[in-house]
Amino acid sequence: LRVTTTLTTGDQKITEILKLRSCPDITETSPYALCVACVSAGCHWSPGSQDCRWTHSSGPPVHILSLSKVFLLCPHFQPGIRSLLPNQVSVHGKTNAVIKGENLDPVIKVRFQWLTECSSKETPVLERSTDTLKFHIPSGNTGKVKMCVVTADGRCHSNIIITYGSQPTCTGLQPRSTWASGGRRIQVLGSSLEYVEKVIVDDKEMSVTSLTVGVWFNTPPLGVGEGSGLFRVSLRVGNSTVDCVDKLSYLPNPEFTSFSKSQEYSEVSVVINKKQDRLNVREEDVKVWGLQEEKQFECAVQNVISTAIVCNILERQDIRINVTSLRVRLSKSPTVSAV
């Protein structure tokens, strides 16, 4: 209901249009927002039934109800933060961070207040539910920052500390070469690597495996029309990238030419001959299986040199092993070679 109010003092007249709200008709998108709107309008909020009613006693005028008093009347619906993942980021920030808490559905943005500076930043909420928020952590200077969640009325709720650390560095790759079909496991060398979100090879973003001792990724295969050569590698950190010192060398897949086998005690020893290349294939790079009719036996790799792979198949009591062919797979590569 709109009401026009006129105040006359001497020869001065002040007119203002006021909007009066019907308490039972007040609606909002969440219990928290409904409680605040109800109390702010001078109505009575019923916590039990969670509805807004006409007040049965005189109350203070709306304009003298401070925000702090309004929120004291709606304590059970205020948004709260339980955890933040991650709570440590680099100076480049972090994409798709997650807050867990309660009553988070009315939150529209997240505010960051640097403890050592008189500055703050805000970032919008990307996805929300009652107990989860997804958002981007902005870039910032090293140090501790207090973070809170903000509702449409501008009020900041709850808080948690987030720590900004140094920018990651990429000083090398180990190994520095991969085969054309991709899938080789590469370790990233450097510092502050716990903040790395993705590894970019040329223009392909690859997921990373992060452990306390470092970061690894599996190389992508060469695209159609792409040939062997050196490819730029960089790290995705927040909305920024950090270049690696080393480039990744793509080479043709190893060529396995023949194999021989011999019986040694309770094992069948297999030697796979390969053409010499510059891939420096390691034992952990290769998986081998021996085939005998419709049966398949794992051949445990024992040694790899530039021109051969040596593996052993354990004998079984129920069958005499006499493999007639082999399958060789390179790490996570989708290509399996037949020998």
Side-chain angles (χ1 to χ4, degrees), residues 153-219:
D153 46 44
R155 183 171 175 82
C156 205
H157 303 269
S158 193
N159 65 77
I160 193 168
I161 297 296
I162 180 172
T163 302
Y164 279 78
S166 302
Q167 170 179 288
T169 64
C170 180
T171 57
L173 303 171
Q174 183 61 42
R176 291 183 292 178
S177 62
T178 184
W179 37 81
S181 58
R184 190 172 200 181
R185 184 175 166 89
I186 306 291
Q187 182 179 6
V188 178
L189 306 177
S191 61
S192 300
L193 296 174
E194 64 271 22
Y195 304 131
V196 175
E197 299 174 38
K198 300 278 187 178
V199 170
I200 305 171
V201 179
D202 200 20
D203 59 352
K204 304 179 185 73
E205 286 202 356
M206 307 302 296
S207 300
V208 298
T209 302
S210 298
L211 302 173
T212 55
V213 293
V215 169
W216 286 261
F217 69 97
N218 293 321
T219 59

Side-chain angles (χ1 to χ4, degrees), residues 51-331:
D51 59 11
C52 191
R53 305 174 183 178
W54 294 106
T55 182
H56 299 296
S57 59
S58 60
V62 173
H63 71 273
I64 66 170
L65 264 177
S66 67
L67 275 177
S68 60
K69 291 183 179 179
V70 168
F71 289 109
L72 283 175
L73 297 173
C74 305
H76 302 296
F77 301 110
Q78 293 191 52
I81 301 172
R82 287 200 309 268
S83 65
L84 167 66
L85 187 67
N87 59 11
Q88 294 187 12
V89 298
S90 80
V91 292
H92 294 299
K94 175 75 169 66
T95 57
N96 296 317
V98 175
I99 286 175
K100 292 290 186 179
E102 56 276 332
N103 304 320
L104 297 176
D105 42 323
V107 174
I108 62 170
K109 56 188 176 182
V110 181
R111 181 177 298 160
F112 300 81
Q113 176 67 55
W114 271 256
L115 302 183
T116 58
E117 304 174 14
C118 296
S119 62
S120 63
K121 290 184 179 180
E122 292 182 343
T123 183
V125 170
L126 305 176
E127 297 178 20
R128 67 173 61 79
S129 66
T130 301
D131 61 359
T132 304
L133 298 177
K134 183 177 286 188
F135 64 102
H136 296 329
I137 297 175
S139 58
N141 298 325
T142 56
K144 294 186 179 297
V145 177
K146 185 166 69 173
M147 190 193 77
C148 65
V149 292
V150 182
T151 44
D153 46 44
R155 183 171 175 82
C156 205
H157 303 269
S158 193
N159 65 77
I160 193 168
I161 297 296
I162 180 172
T163 302
Y164 279 78
S166 302
Q167 170 179 288
T169 64
C170 180
T171 57
L173 303 171
Q174 183 61 42
R176 291 183 292 178
S177 62
T178 184
W179 37 81
S181 58
R184 190 172 200 181
R185 184 175 166 89
I186 306 291
Q187 182 179 6
V188 178
L189 306 177
S191 61
S192 300
L193 296 174
E194 64 271 22
Y195 304 131
V196 175
E197 299 174 38
K198 300 278 187 178
V199 170
I200 305 171
V201 179
D202 200 20
D203 59 352
K204 304 179 185 73
E205 286 202 356
M206 307 302 296
S207 300
V208 298
T209 302
S210 298
L211 302 173
T212 55
V213 293
V215 169
W216 286 261
F217 69 97
N218 293 321
T219 59
L222 283 177
V224 177
E226 289 182 321
S228 301
L230 295 174
F231 288 77
R232 184 174 63 89
V233 177
S234 57
L235 311 178
R236 170 72 65 193
V237 187
N239 292 320
S240 301
T241 57
V242 177
D243 288 337
C244 290
V245 173
D246 287 343
K247 289 188 176 182
L248 186 63
S249 175
Y250 270 84
L251 300 169
N253 279 14
E255 291 186 47
F256 304 103
T257 57
S258 62
F259 77 94
S260 60
K261 59 184 185 293
S262 60
Q263 185 75 39
E264 295 184 6
Y265 302 105
S266 60
E267 297 178 332
V268 176
S269 180
V270 179
V271 177
I272 307 168
N273 299 309
K274 62 185 284 289
K275 289 186 177 181
Q276 190 165 359
D277 53 45
R278 294 182 289 116
L279 285 164
N280 296 318
V281 176
R282 305 163 298 182
E283 293 174 17
E284 60 264 33
D285 289 329
V286 188
K287 288 187 178 296
V288 182
W289 297 270
L291 304 180
Q292 180 175 327
E293 296 178 348
E294 296 181 355
K295 295 183 173 60
Q296 179 173 284
F297 307 95
E298 182 177 358
C299 193
V301 177
Q302 305 298 315
N303 190 25
V304 178
I305 59 176
S306 60
T307 57
I309 296 173
V310 179
C311 64
N312 293 334
I313 302 175
L314 288 175
E315 281 280 16
R316 290 169 47 173
Q317 294 181 350
D318 59 334
I319 187 171
R320 179 176 177 79
I321 296 177
N322 184 25
V323 296
T324 56
S325 61
L326 301 175
R327 295 174 68 239
V328 182
R329 184 173 184 176
L330 300 165
S331 294

